[in-house]
Amino acid sequence: MAIIEVKDLTKIYGNGDNAVRALDSINLSIEEGKFVAVMGPSGCGKSTLLHLIGGLDRPTSGSVMIEGKDIAKMKDDQLTELRRRKMGFIFQFFNLIPVLNAAENAALPLILDGVKQERAKARAMEWLQKNQLGDRSTHRPDELSGGQQQRVAIARAMISNPLIILADEPTGNLDTRSGDEIASVLRSLVSDWGRTVLMVTHDPRIAAYADRIIFLKDGKIVDDTLMSSDAPENARRLKEKVESL
Amino acid sequence: MKGQFLLAYRYLTGRKQRMVLTTLAVVFGVAVLFGMNAMLPGIITAFRHSMITAAGKVDLSISSKSNGPFNQSIMDTIQNAEGISVSTGILQRNVQIPESLGGTTDPITRSASITLNGLDVETARLVRRYQLSEGRFLEPGDTDQAVISYSLAQKMDKKVGDTLTIPSSQGKADLIVVGILTQFESTTVDEVYVTLPTAQRILGLEGQITVIDMLLDGQVDKATVEKNLLQSLGGGFKSGQVELGNELSAALEMGESVMWLFGIMALAMAAFIIYNTFRTVVAERRRDLGMLRAIGASRKTVMGIILTESLLQGIIGTFLGLVTGYAIAYGILQGLGPMIEAFMRAQVGPPEITAANLAASTLLGIGFTVGSSYLPSRTAMKITPMEALRPVTLLVERRRRLLRAAIGAILIALSIVGLITGDLPVASLSTLAFLVGLIMVIPVLVKPIASTFGRLLSVIYAREGTLAQGNLYRQPSRAAVTASAMMIGLAVTIAMIGLVTSVFDGFIRYLDRSLGSDYLLMPSSLVLGGGNLGAAPEFARRLEKLEGNSGVTTLRLASTQTKGAALQVIGIDPQKYPEISGLEFSQGDPFQSFSALGSGRSIIVNGIFATSSAVKVGDTLLLETPEGEKEYQVVGVAMDYLNAKIATGYISQAFLEEDFHITTDVLIMANRKEGANQTAVDAEIKAAAKDYPAFTLFDAEAFKKSQMEVFQSSMSMMNALVFMLAIPGLIAMANTLGISIIERTREIGMLRAVGSTQKQVKRMVFAESLLLSALGTSLGILVGIFLSYYLLKAVNFAGFTLDFYFPGLGILVAIAVGLLFGILAAMVPARQAARTVIVEALRYE
């Protein structure tokens, strides 16, 4: 069953002569429990697509259906609740709160949902331990490495048991090894935890961990490929495809 | 609370320097508000406690509504009244004992204050107990015998058998101490008890008493007895003791209002600083706040985080402000204690914390803090997840700024017209409009002003000045808010200095006009009332007969109640007074007013009474007198120097005698004959005054000089208060620069990486600080001139006629202060910026 369904989705920034068509009538369906990567050159609209699916922005026209509900028509409070309970976000620059420690950062979505802090932190600890950060739970972001910070962000994204994880260039700010680690974690969220992951990346090596790659160019989908389970082979093929596009 | 408290607490503790500076602003505001208002009630309470009281010792007391003496024949009515078991009449007055008669050597007044009580010996002890530690009580035949309080005996080192000399209406009176009360019998004042006829002789109030104390029959209802008694006595009496010095309460209460005003202003400036901080905080945390929205924080939650943070700061700042304010008040009262004790006969204890002051200071401290973060919290609330990832376009901001500036310019123009042409209410609104208009215009003025001063600055800071200007242009709104805090502080400084100049000039004029005689004979205490014993008319007559005198005029004193307020009544000779002295008129013609005084029950009131009781020429006042209510026609509004601060009315001495039974003089003015030998005349007058130790002879010029010194020293306290208001401006600048340095960490790292030295980075910060202070000072000067004109209008409206003086000195002081603040505020931020570790700064997010 399609957990995400996008119909004739368009996003235009600016107006008149300055108008920029970031997305141009995109149609897309994503099955539950799949790992989908979105690739394309700079300015192709991949982040815009992610933002619209995540309810972070409103489309100019078209619809975004999450579990059969059109989120484009939702009011702000409904969208906010959706993001809090049904979605998890992972950003390129981690976006952790600098004054909170790892456990508090991870627990944030539950705390914002009104769960008592002790319970929320206990759950956060579970996810931090799963991400091998149990002993760093009291450290603030400036005391963690980039990879560790991103794993805290993953714990935060998973803590409210969301249906969908949206990752925007999650490895963009990391070294190769850390990037691979993060990509593996994302992979395990799908295979071990049954989540749906939608990831934007420009790195074929990272995209190779996905089940399906969607290529965007000038706001349109230009390719949609299913991937095999061999990550290195996928990476090679993707690199060729990116160069050809 | 959905995480608001956790996030607010962490953000506060995560940025300690900023938290300290912002909280300091709240501490300062609350300290001024709470401290000033904890001081004055203590003084007022002590002052009221110093007034005569025998509270709790008798069942009922009756005194005149005018607080003056009345005929003792009233006792007949009292004695025959139902429900009264026993009654006694007492004559009570405060008397100052000058140093020459053994009073204290207090450097300010050189006198001691006592309460003289004349008792009907036969009945006094039936009504109240007087316990003695030594000697005996008064006996019916006593004429010059006295019983004194334990505290007075200690202070003046008197024993039974010693002589106590006090001033009297005939000069002085020697009293033999026959008894000393026990330590526990005395009230807070030093008391002397004599027989009633003796007191009446000493005070020149034959046949008069001031209060009747009573014990009631058992089983009677006090309220009924009181009501019936007051009805039978007519309208001129009240239940309770005499409240002397009540007319001073009005001045003290006005002081309370001034203190509140200062406190509110200090808090308002704290609010500016907090607003600026939170504005910046919201801008700085756009990404964090956007992320919170992205992961599911509602708009209300985000708003709540900012408000909770400000609430925490408000609570901490208010608490510290209350403690600091109390400490400041305590310190000031300790310093002023001896002077207050001497002037007002009041022993001041620690600052008085009233529930109202505590509640108001707490609510205002927290309220201002949270209130000033409201708008930034609304901005935060509007941050969408996307805005955190993409910046807002500059074009939209610029258009808004220009529109606001246009509206602001119109407001400014209208307000100038309103100030010059309008009455006080219009001028008040105009002042508010001017401030609002200027605040709207300031962001647009940042660039031109910074560019103008930048050219001057480039002489010292050639390269760094350009960078500094750019920093200001980039954040004109933040520069504007910082400048506003400084602007207000400096504007108040300029306006107050301007006002002080005008007031000083005005008081010199009053001084010249009302103390225009060659000689003044007056009590050491400068307040006419408050226990200064008058001299019988013989003294003035003796002076008139002296060879070297060309004319003598006197002032006499009573008190009354009218229009629900206390009024000091001064009796003058309507013919002689304007020849030798005079009043400064703001309403009514002087010649006609003085003539009217001589021909009927007319009164000239002073400005402070006219304003507070909304009285003008032509109105009728009902004055409470021992002879009942009397109608007086207001014929002028005028002031003299000595009584400018106390609600006062001037009537003829003839009516003062008829209605108030006062015939003693409390101030005598005399003129030397033209061509007379000054030394000889001085000697003549001194010899005549020797028999009246309560009076000191002043050479008018020397007295005026001493008054100017007193005036200047009291203005120093005012200036200190005013300078305090400039301090938030310093905090604002330090805060802004600190925030700005943190925000530009990466940029500063980049500057250092490409070759800027630490010294150059420091100079850039100093340059920016000086530009900010130039902006604040320029605007402060504009507002200061406006405010100074407005304040003068307000003072004139209050009945003090003063001329406008361009606050040139104030402007110079403001420029110096602005320059100093520019340097001081930059010191710590400049050092921090210079110490930036390059690689860490380049990694900074």
Side-chain angles (χ1 to χ4, degrees), chain A residues 147 151 154 176-186 206 209:
Chain A
R151 279 186 272 150
I154 291 171
T176 314
R177 204 179 69 137
S178 303
D180 282 335
E181 279 172 15
I182 296 302
S184 299
V185 171
L186 290 174
I206 301 301
Y209 284 81

Side-chain angles (χ1 to χ4, degrees), chain B residues 570-587:
Chain B
I570 293 184
I572 58 173
D573 183 327
Q575 266 184 315
K576 285 190 190 168
Y577 184 79
E579 285 170 11
I580 295 169
S581 182
L583 297 173
E584 184 79 15
F585 276 79
S586 55
Q587 281 183 51

Side-chain angles (χ1 to χ4, degrees), chain B residues 55-88:
Chain B
K57 296 188 177 177
V58 298
D59 290 339
L60 184 63
S61 296
I62 297 285
S63 59
S64 164
K65 274 185 185 172
S66 67
N67 290 313
F70 53 91
N71 202 301
Q72 71 188 88
S73 60
I74 298 288
M75 292 297 301
D76 298 334
T77 312
I78 301 287
Q79 274 151 8
N80 294 329
E82 213 174 296
I84 311 287
S85 165
V86 65
S87 60
T88 188

Side-chain angles (χ1 to χ4, degrees), chain A residues 13 177 197 202 231:
Chain A
Y13 292 107
R177 204 179 69 137
V197 174
H202 67 275

Side-chain angles (χ1 to χ4, degrees), chain A residues 13 48 51 56-57 76 80 83-84 89 91 93 95-100 104 108-109 111-112 114 117 156, chain B residues 2-3 6-7 10-11 14-15 287-288 291-299 301 384-386 389-390 845:
Chain A
Y13 292 107
T48 306
H51 295 156
L56 298 174
D57 198 1
D76 185 76
T80 305
R83 289 198 301 271
R84 193 163 65 238
F89 291 88
F91 300 100
F93 292 103
N95 282 3
L96 300 178
I97 304 287
V99 295
L100 299 179
E104 287 162 348
L108 257 183
I111 293 171
L112 291 171
Q117 273 189 38
R156 183 183 66 193
Chain B
K2 297 194 179 177
L6 171 68
L7 282 157
R10 290 271 189 243
Y11 272 119
R15 295 267 189 265
R287 185 172 270 180
D288 285 359
M291 188 282 297
L292 283 169
R293 292 281 287 123
I295 66 167
S298 66
R299 290 186 196 275
T301 301
T384 65
M386 284 311 297
L389 304 171
R390 286 199 192 96
E845 285 285 338

Side-chain angles (χ1 to χ4, degrees), chain B residues 32 63 70 82 110 141 153 163 275 301 378 402 437 603 633 646:
Chain B
V32 169
S63 59
F70 53 91
E82 213 174 296
R110 300 186 193 284
T163 301
Y275 169 73
T301 301
R378 281 195 69 87
L402 288 172
I603 185 167
Q633 176 98 12
I646 303 170

Side-chain angles (χ1 to χ4, degrees), chain A residues 4 22 96 155 169 185 189 208:
Chain A
I4 301 170
L96 300 178
E169 301 275 11
V185 171
L189 292 181

